[in-house]
Structure formats: C-alpha cells, structure tokens
Amino acid sequence: MTDADQVRDQIRNDAVEAALGKLDLDTKARLLAGQDMWSLPAVPGIGLQSLVMSDGPIGVRGVRWTADDPSIALPSPTALAAAWDPELARRAGRLLAQEARRKGVHVLLAPTVNLHRSPLGGRHFECYSEDPLLTGAVGSGYVTGVQEGGVGTTVKHFVGNDAETDRFTVDSVIAPRPLRELYLAPFEAIVDNAHPWGIMTAYNEVNGTTMTEHRYLANEVLRGEWGFDGCNVSDWMAARSTAGDIEGGMDVAMPGPTTVYGPALAEAVRAGEVPESAVDEAVRNVLRLAARVGLLEGAPAVVETAPAPIDGQALARELAARGFVLVRNQDLLPLDATAGGTVALLGAAARDARVLGGGSATVFPERVVSPLDGLTAALPEGALTYAVGADPSDEPTPADKGFELRAVCRDASGAVLGTGSLPSGQVQWIGDDLPAGVTYETMASIEVTGTFLPRESGEHAFGTRGLGAFALSVGGRSLWSGVQEMGNEADPFEAFFGAPCERARVTLAEGEPVEVSLTYQVPDMTALPLRAIMFSLLHLGPQRDADELIAEAVAAARAADTAVVVVATTERVESEGFDRTDLRLPGCQDDLVRAVAAVNPNTVVVVNAGSPVELPWREDVAAVLLTWFPGQEGGAALADVLLGAAEPGGRLPTTWPARFADAPVTEVVPTEGRLEYREGLFIGYRAYEKHAVVPAFPFGHGLGYTDWAYESLEATADTVRVRVTNTGTRPGREVVQVYLAPAAPASDGAPSAAVERPASWLAGFAGVAAGPGESVEAVIALPARAFEIWDEEARGWRRIGGTYEVRASHSHGDIRLTATLDVE
C-alpha cells in the first residue's frame, strides 16, 4: 500500500467512525439486515446509499431473473482453474467488475473456493480444484481483479460446504489438521494475498457449531489470526440465531426483510442478551464495505476511475480455450482446416449446448455459441455434417429452443397487472423481482404464454415443474389441469423447484408455429419470511428410437474424415442442491461413442461436464477434450482449438478417475446429520497416491500442441527455477508444476518421523510460453507453508525440516526432473 493509499484508507476509516457515531440502535440493527433479496438499506442521514449484491461466479446476473439485461457468461470456475493462471483469473475478475458496475451491483457473491473433496459434489463445477494451493492462487487472482474494478467480493462458502446433501443442516466433522491444511487454506491464502472485502458464511455446521455462529473460526481465526477486516455475510437463509450470529462474527443476515437481525437484534440488545458493542463492530464492517465501493459520503472509493473497458465476448472465448484440457491425442489434433477434410459432428449436446451450471450461478447471456454454431462458422461450406446421435436427457426441461414466451400477471378478476419477458419457460421471481406494476398482494395468476416453432415433426411432450395448481394448453386446446404436490426432495432448493413432470403429448409439424399457455395459480404467501415464485413450462421434443439415432450417427461418421462426438451432463445430473450418485454420462452417450469409434479411427470426443465422468471408451478414440461448462463463447473456442487457431491451454485441476469405484472419497451423504471427513488429509491426488490407484488422468495433466523438454532444475527453500525448451513446431504454453516429497526426516528424527503427510503435494507452479526451439525459465516461489503442518497439540504451524525431493513435473503423474533439498 502506497502512502497515498494509506491516507485514503485513513479517510475512509474516519468517515466510517463518524457515520457510526450518528446511528441509533434501531438504525444500526436495521443496517445489518437485508432490506430485500439483494440489498442493504440506505441511511440518507449519514450519506449512506443502498448496497446491492448479486450472484456472480461466472457472470453478473443483477437483481432480476430476466434476459432483458443480458450478462456475459464466462466458463465455469472449474474451467477457470483449469487454466492454472492467476493472472487470467484476474482479467476475468476485472471483466465481471465491469459487468457489475454496468448493472448497478456493488458486491459479487463469489468466488466459491470449497474443495473438490469428492467428485460426487453437486456444485463441483462452481469450485476450482481439489488442491488448496491452486484454489487459493486462482481465487486470489479472481478477487484481485474484481476489486481492482471497484466491486467487492464475498469468498464462499466459509467453510466445510464441500457437498450439497443436507447442506442446510449437515455437521461437517473435520479434524484440525485437514481443516487447516486443506479446507481453510484457500480462504487464508486469499485473505493474505488479495484482501477480500467480504466473506460468505456457509449453511452447515463444522464440528458441532453452525458456521454463522462459529466464534472460533470467524472471530479468532478469520479476523484474529488472518487479519480479515471485511464484511461477513450469511449465505441466503443461513442465519438462525440473533444472539448466536452476532456474537459469532456474522455481520449481515440475508436476505430480508425478515431476518434474525433488524428489530430482533435491537430487542436483544435492550434485553441484555447482546452487547451493543457487538452490533457496533458489525456495523463498522458494513460501513467499511460501503465506503470501499463508494457508497458512503465523505469516504473515497478504493477505485474511483474504472479500468479500461474489456471486450467480454473476446475474453470469454479466450478463457474457454485456455481452460479446455486435451487429455488424449493420438496425433489427430489439431485438424487441418485447409486440407479439405470433412467432419461429422454428433450428439444432441453439440446442438443444444449447456454452457453453465445450474442453480444460483445461472445468468442469461445475449448469445450462446454451440459447438454446431462454432464449427459451422469455422469450416468451409459442405465440410460439416450433423446428426443427433444421442440425447443426454430423456425428460422435459424448461421450454427454450423455438419458444418465444412472456409472463402475464393477472389479479383475481382476470385484469392484467403487468407482463415480464422470459428467457425460457422458467419463472423464478424472488423477493421484489416482479414485473412492473405487479405485487404479491394483488397477483392471483401467472400465465406463461407465447409461441413455439417446432424444429422436428412428431410427438412433443409438455409438462410442469413447481408446486401448485396449473392449467396447460397447446394450440388453443386444454391438455391438462391439476396440482403438483411436493415430492421426497431433501434439499429446500430442489424441493421449491419441484420435480419435472410430463403432462401431455401433442403431434406437431416442423416449422408450423403453435400457441402455448401454462397458467399458474399464485398461492397466499403473506406468512412466508421470503416470498418467491418458481415454476416452469417444460418441453421435450420427439423421442426417436435410440438405436436408430446411433445408426444415423454411425453412417455420418463412416462417411467423414473425422468424427467429433459431443457428450455432456444435464442439470438433473450436476446442479446446486443435490449431489451425484455415480459418475456415468446420462442416456446412451457411451453407446454412441463406442459405435462411432468402431467405424472411424479419427474420432474426437468432446466432454462437456463440470466435474469428472467415467470415460470407459477413452482408449478407443483418437482424442478426448474436456471443455467443462465453457460459457457463452464455448462453441467458437472449440472451433479455435480443434482447428489449431488456439492451443488447448488447460491442465486438470482435479484428478479424473478411471471409474467410480476408484474414487477415494465418495461419502457425501451424512449419517445421522454428521458427515465425517474420515479421509483426513487424503483427498484428490494425495489419496490416489496413498492407495496406489492409477487414475484415468492425473491431477495437472493436459496436452498442448507442442512438446517440451525439461532441461534443468535448481531449488532452494524459497525458489525453484526450471528451464524448459519448446521442442515442437508450434508456439505453446507449458504449466511447470513443482511437487514436494519428503525424502527423509530431519536428523533430530523423532518428531518429524512420526508426522503423517501425503507422499507428495503441490508446492508451486508457473506458466511459461515459448516459440518453436525457444527456451524459457520458470521461476516458482516456494511458500514457507509448503514445509509446514498444523500441529494439533501446539495449535499452530510447525516447520518440518529434513530432506525433500523437489519434483519439476508436467503433471502429478509425469515427473520430469528432481532435485534434493535439505531444509531446517
């Protein structure tokens, strides 16, 4: 921090103290409670404007669930981590800050830095990695970039929210060492390196204490040990105890207007249950956040001039290609677009691309480039053929392709109160996110209405998702009316959406538009603490025989020089609110790949999944490219990579098992409310190494379009220098990874020898670029923490001296050079 920064920081702190001194108890308590779904109240008397928050891991949605104000949709966080480039994450953060400022948002509810403890984690795609060092480095870059744009972040979910099952109530039982060395480590690194302005506390308990009330972790560790001076925001609906939360270090209870703070907090102070000093400290943290983003009069914002504009589409395309991981390539890629070859593109997922994960991270981009769009634009006319081959989903999903819909809100007499646009058949209005002129008190029904232009002739299925009374009609004909009741969904998030239900089938002709209508009766919500409406009009196109579809794809593949098969998961497989039960691709996609590979040796499989899936045919195809959920420009980036305009820049941020049975950690379902992290320190590659299990693809693995020779390695206790040479014919980028392996304990023996540690762990990394024949040196700093463990008895970090093997590696499973290092 420069002298000028220190002066401005002091001015901000003085403004915060002056404003705090002017507030009475009721106003202070009100300031700690959301005034609605996304914002805190303004206090004009002290020059405080309303602070607005928004979901934002991959795009900034804003406060409305609408496509009227589109958002840039970047690749998933796992894809961002796959680039192994904190500076790239910083650029992504700056773009999101630009988006936030455009939408009037002051704080992003991101990044998510929980670990990939198990591949079954339903929100795996929204997290970065199985490794705490990589997670902390990428998260630091992201936070730095966002805050350089003058927008705050809330690093989440603090802590132990590494699975979705029973996430509101589960007690994550984690021993002190893995808690410190794994799960807290990314948060600590980000606080230390990027100084985030916010943290979001998780729903779950850790070792018997609810995180929103966890005095030890929030007050003693986060604020005391690490020096965090930002605002601690609850996850939405996580706050449960007025006194417990305020004394547990939670500053803001979201959402509002009904929370455990506000009037309840003021009353607790007056009753002597809570000291007013605790309220003052929380208000101080809120005012500091407001001052940093420029919402407090007399306090200079940290960033008063926005950074230079960023081209969002171009960066989204670059990020996607940089995150693609080429895990197999038998001299097939890149394809030569000038050679006149033909390509058969296969798979429903190539036409209807899933570019982002489900749940609260959802945004609505202005455009989505599918693999079919991207390759059609990039290849010469006549070079590309397409066949569906297999569809990953066989159940109705929110009406999308071919639908033009709006929501019409009416009162009890049938008079129109207002209308709202819909990006799909899904209505999701939370809090005050209602069309203009509409209120919960006056609204009696909502009609999702519009037209549908079928892409195929045949029997089309229509359905509903959501709880309540519906009436469905197509082409002016009433098809179904009834009530959808709650099922056995365990997670409130999933239960509120309800399960998808098919209601009727109609024969329609390709290209002939038809009117559609789904009317929903709005229930009385006056007694609910948070009012919301969530339901969907669903659609499923004609379902053809699976064998017939595969046969068509096989014929196309046999006639083409190259076959590109796109396989994917669906929102019913990977999404917020539930965990997976296996790692299989849905539908007949595995059968499609096998059939295509049998007739075309030049088969590329593009895997569009946010987390590992089984690839039982991986040795039978020429190339396998992992694209995660690649964002709105994913199809354009795919064409860039397949045709060699860009190198697939990614390395695996998480180990990819050969089969589900090989995954070392699969327990994500609590037993009697407790999820015990029995594996301790051994998750991800640490566990595979401990149990001598060979994965399909190791942590850090990824192939580019050139080759690298590792020529020299020099190591000290602070720095590793690795010289590499590009021995191929194309320019490229290599991620040099440094792992430490304890070779021998310190000479004083006993304490060090008794310490259980992984066989090896990531200690640092650096990306380097070079042209053909060029050499370059990667300089990698070794943090002191790489040689330390958390001493449970001493309750502190302890350096473990001795002899270490320093490994310069292309991946965890591909060691190129080693050196011996003695540390004290």
Side-chain angles (χ1 to χ4, degrees), residues 440-730:
Y440 289 101
E441 290 76 16
T442 56
M443 179 171 46
S445 68
I446 303 168
E447 182 187 13
V448 174
T449 181
T451 59
F452 171 49
L453 187 66
R455 296 186 297 184
E456 302 167 275
S457 296
E459 192 175 52
H460 290 253
F462 291 85
T464 62
R465 187 180 185 189
L467 308 179
F470 296 93
L472 172 67
S473 67
V474 176
R477 184 163 61 95
S478 177
L479 298 180
W480 177 82
S481 63
V483 176
Q484 184 165 338
E485 305 284 357
M486 182 175 289
N488 59 357
E489 298 86 1
D491 185 275
F493 186 91
E494 187 183 9
F496 204 34
F497 278 103
C501 295
E502 181 182 317
R503 301 302 185 187
R505 296 194 173 196
V506 185
T507 300
L508 301 174
E510 177 185 350
E512 295 185 10
V514 62
E515 294 181 355
V516 295
S517 171
L518 176 67
T519 300
Y520 171 74
Q521 300 301 317
V522 178
D524 181 5
M525 289 180 280
T526 54
L528 298 179
L530 176 64
R531 293 183 292 186
I533 294 175
M534 298 183 185
F535 71 92
S536 299
L537 167 66
L538 306 180
H539 170 259
L540 179 66
Q543 296 297 285
R544 297 173 55 198
D545 179 74
D547 292 337
E548 180 183 325
L549 287 175
I550 291 176
E552 286 183 358
V554 166
R558 184 181 284 115
D561 296 308
T562 304
V564 177
V565 186
V566 182
V567 297
T569 59
T570 69
E571 283 205 20
R572 296 288 285 171
V573 174
E574 286 185 272
S575 187
E576 179 178 352
F578 57 89
D579 293 310
R580 295 195 287 170
T581 56
D582 58 54
L583 303 182
R584 293 193 299 271
L585 284 167
C588 298
Q589 296 181 103
D590 286 333
D591 295 335
L592 171 64
V593 173
R594 291 189 183 98
V596 169
V599 300
N600 192 324
N602 296 326
T603 295
V604 181
V605 182
V606 177
V607 182
N608 187 26
S611 49
V613 291
E614 291 180 349
L615 309 176
W617 32 258
R618 63 189 180 279
E619 301 293 337
D620 302 326
V621 300
V624 179
L625 181 69
L626 312 180
T627 63
W628 317 104
F629 298 139
Q632 68 176 59
E633 305 298 318
L638 178 64
D640 290 341
V641 167
L642 292 181
L643 301 178
E647 184 181 42
R651 305 293 185 265
L652 284 178
T654 199
T655 306
W656 207 276
R659 53 189 187 138
F660 174 57
D662 293 340
V665 181
T666 58
E667 186 178 8
V668 293
V669 177
T671 300
E672 297 182 351
R674 291 164 56 90
L675 182 59
E676 300 200 28
Y677 288 40
R678 294 186 180 91
E679 68 281 352
L681 298 170
F682 298 96
I683 65 171
Y685 64 88
R686 304 160 189 238
Y688 283 89
E689 192 168 23
K690 177 182 180 180
H691 298 295
V693 174
V694 178
F697 305 110
F699 175 78
H701 173 63
L703 307 172
Y705 287 157
T706 189
D707 297 313
W708 297 88
Y710 281 58
E711 297 181 339
S712 65
L713 166 63
E714 299 176 6
T716 70
D718 302 311
T719 307
V720 173
R721 296 178 180 273
V722 182
R723 190 167 187 80
V724 296
T725 297
N726 181 346
T727 59
T729 60
R730 294 172 54 103

Side-chain angles (χ1 to χ4, degrees), residues 174-184 677 679-681 792:
I174 314 172
R177 267 197 73 191
L179 181 61
R180 289 282 189 158
E181 295 182 25
L182 296 179
Y183 302 101
L184 286 172
Y677 288 40
E679 68 281 352
L681 298 170
E792 295 185 353

Side-chain angles (χ1 to χ4, degrees), residues 1 8-9 12-13 16 51 101 106 147 149-152 195-198 223 227-231 284-296 299-304:
M1 183 180 292
R8 290 163 59 83
D9 198 43
R12 273 191 297 274
N13 288 336
V16 165
L51 184 144
R101 294 174 78 113
H106 309 112
Q147 294 184 173
V151 175
H195 310 292
W197 301 343
R223 294 196 185 277
F228 173 68
D229 67 351
C231 183
R284 182 175 287 112
N285 294 329
V286 172
L287 293 176
R288 186 182 298 115
L289 174 59
R292 284 169 165 164
V293 299
L295 298 179
L296 181 62
V302 172
V303 178
E304 295 185 302

Side-chain angles (χ1 to χ4, degrees), residues 7-24 28 31-32 43 45-48 51 229-231 279-302:
V7 170
R8 290 163 59 83
D9 198 43
Q10 186 59 53
I11 294 172
R12 273 191 297 274
N13 288 336
D14 291 344
V16 165
E17 293 304 320
L20 177 60
K22 297 176 183 177
L23 298 177
D24 60 29
K28 289 187 288 189
L31 189 54
L32 303 182
V43 183
I46 61 170
L48 177 67
L51 184 144
D229 67 351
C231 183
V279 177
D280 288 346
E281 189 57 36
V283 173
R284 182 175 287 112
N285 294 329
V286 172
L287 293 176
R288 186 182 298 115
L289 174 59
R292 284 169 165 164
V293 299
L295 298 179
L296 181 62
E297 188 177 301
V302 172

Side-chain angles (χ1 to χ4, degrees), residues 171 204-217:
D171 180 11
N204 52 280
E205 297 179 359
V206 169
N207 298 331
T209 302
T210 302
M211 276 309 305
T212 56
E213 305 172 36
H214 215 302
R215 299 187 195 188
Y216 171 65
L217 290 179

Side-chain angles (χ1 to χ4, degrees), residues 5 171 217 222 248 292 299 337 370 378 403 500 542 566 571 616 639 777 817:
D5 290 335
D171 180 11
L217 290 179
L222 176 63
R292 284 169 165 164
S370 69
F403 288 85
V566 182
E571 283 205 20
E777 186 176 67
L817 295 172

